[in-house]
Amino acid sequence: MDMPPDNPVLSIRHMRGRKSPPSQYSFEVKSFSLLAKASIEKVTSEEFEAGDCKWSLSIYPTGNKRRAGEGHVSIYLALTDPSSLPLDWEVNAIVNFSLYNFQEDEYATTQDASTRRFHVLKTEWGIAKFIDLHTFYDSSNGYLIEDTCVFGAEVFVVKTTNKGDCLSMIKEPATLSHSWKFNNYSIANLDKYESPPFLAGDYKWKIRVYPNGTLEGKGNSISMFLALDTSTLPPNAKLLMDYTVRAKDQIGGHHAEAKACCKFSHSSAAWGSRQLVALAKFKDPGSGFLVGDSCILEAEFRVLGLINPLTGIII
């Protein structure tokens, strides 16, 4: 497994002493020198919990040689059960290590506020050159007394509400269209009418018309919209689209139309024009919009891309 970079700066020389023990976990090792004599490359602590995650502390008594830690004690923190986390998980945490100094009765503790990123390919982070062996084994320094030492770890998981989206553009999107002949316009007495649903692309749609307008178009214009059937849209997804809605001039071809590029979603499922064409012009027999008390309404559109929330889950 690929390992994250060790911290090349932190070591016992960069620590500060404090009286309080590590807030999350302490790992005492007795007869420490026997680890090296037994050729034990790494000893791992029992599991402990911090920030709703489970961790373990690993000590390399003669250094992590894969990370150029020879001649030192190396220390690492690892997530112990990442399989229990959500798919595509990510954990960001501030990590500090400590080593108890028996003579000073205090804990030499790293002072690092950097956020460490743990994910499926990087479940471990640590310091390859935590303390050099000469300093560590010299009892006058106070870190190893009667062959006993105490390591510690503090893990502060950074909770975040960071959200993101992924826009997947469609190469060469198809142009889709649908026409609806609206009959008996003169006796239309409802505020709103909708065409039968139609399938275009992977989604269902309707053309929606307000014969006497809506909102700022109320009483002065015909309003027309393209409406998405949101039951055909995946949860939290959005469609990036360009569209044209038009009322067709059936005589001279001088159509009234409105164009835009927008996002169709569960919360914004209908787009169009509230003032597509003035009612006076629309009802004028010479304008060509109404022929035989029928009008032709048309929507033309392209689905340019799909927007979904990012799948990575940050804890």
Side-chain angles (χ1 to χ4, degrees):
M1 178 177 291
D2 183 29
M3 296 178 63
D6 297 330
N7 194 310
V9 176
L10 292 179
S11 70
I12 199 72
R13 293 174 298 172
H14 300 89
M15 296 185 188
R16 293 181 181 178
R18 74 180 197 193
K19 295 299 182 181
S20 58
S23 57
Q24 263 97 26
Y25 189 72
S26 294
F27 185 33
E28 182 177 0
V29 183
K30 295 183 177 181
S31 302
F32 184 89
S33 62
L34 297 183
L35 294 173
K37 291 179 181 179
S39 300
I40 294 177
E41 179 183 352
K42 176 178 73 171
V43 60
T44 300
S45 75
E46 294 300 301
E47 190 175 80
F48 65 95
E49 189 169 325
D52 297 325
C53 297
K54 294 179 180 179
W55 310 85
S56 66
L57 194 62
S58 293
I59 306 298
Y60 292 75
T62 58
N64 183 354
K65 297 174 177 57
R66 291 179 298 164
R67 306 300 294 180
E70 296 92 337
H72 293 76
V73 175
S74 304
I75 187 169
Y76 285 82
L77 178 75
L79 275 164
T80 58
D81 189 18
S83 62
S84 65
L85 297 174
L87 185 66
D88 295 329
W89 60 271
E90 178 179 310
V91 177
N92 293 295
I94 297 172
V95 181
N96 280 298
F97 298 115
S98 65
L99 179 60
Y100 183 58
N101 189 313
F102 290 88
Q103 289 189 359
E104 302 293 335
D105 187 25
E106 65 181 20
Y107 295 83
T109 305
T110 58
Q111 304 290 313
D112 185 18
S114 301
T115 301
R116 306 298 169 188
R117 180 169 170 255
F118 296 82
H119 54 84
V120 67
L121 296 179
K122 295 183 179 181
T123 59
E124 186 180 64
W125 179 84
I127 304 173
K129 296 181 179 181
F130 184 60
I131 183 171
D132 68 90
L133 293 176
H134 177 75
T135 300
F136 180 71
Y137 275 101
D138 185 345
S139 60
S140 66
N141 292 317
Y143 299 114
L144 186 67
I145 300 296
E146 296 181 359
D147 212 15
T148 297
C149 55
V150 182
F151 298 92
E154 291 183 325
V155 187
F156 303 101
V157 174
V158 179
K159 300 288 184 179
T160 177
T161 57
N162 180 37
K163 297 181 179 179
D165 295 293
C166 177
L167 169 61
S168 300
M169 295 298 291
I170 297 173
K171 186 177 182 180
E172 299 179 358
T175 299
L176 309 168
S177 63
H178 186 77
S179 292
W180 176 37
K181 188 173 184 180
F182 187 90
N183 298 314
N184 302 315
Y185 182 87
S186 62
I187 60 173
N189 56 9
L190 298 179
D191 287 340
K192 176 182 73 175
Y193 291 85
E194 291 184 337
S195 71
F198 60 92
L199 184 65
D202 296 324
Y203 311 97
K204 286 185 179 179
W205 310 84
K206 292 180 181 179
I207 293 174
R208 182 179 299 167
V209 62
Y210 295 78
N212 291 293
T214 186
L215 297 175
E216 64 264 34
K218 185 76 171 179
N220 62 70
S221 302
I222 181 173
S223 304
M224 180 183 170
F225 300 87
L226 173 64
L228 172 65
D229 181 347
T230 56
S231 68
T232 62
L233 184 67
N236 301 317
K238 298 178 182 179
L239 301 179
L240 177 64
M241 296 179 48
D242 60 17
Y243 70 88
T244 301
V245 291
R246 65 172 64 95
K248 300 193 73 171
D249 173 0
Q250 302 174 65
I251 298 175
H254 302 295
H255 311 314
E257 61 183 30
K259 300 180 179 182
C261 181
C262 64
K263 288 178 280 191
F264 282 73
S265 66
H266 286 270
S267 60
S268 299
W271 291 87
S273 174
R274 296 168 181 167
Q275 295 177 305
L276 183 65
V277 57
L279 282 174
K281 182 177 181 180
F282 187 79
K283 294 178 180 180
D284 182 354
S287 68
F289 293 113
L290 283 172
V291 176
D293 204 25
S294 297
C295 62
I296 298 176
L297 306 176
E298 186 174 79
E300 186 176 290
F301 53 98
R302 296 185 304 164
V303 179
L304 304 175
L306 184 64
I307 301 172
N308 279 301
L310 287 174
T311 57
I313 297 175
I314 301 177
I315 298 176

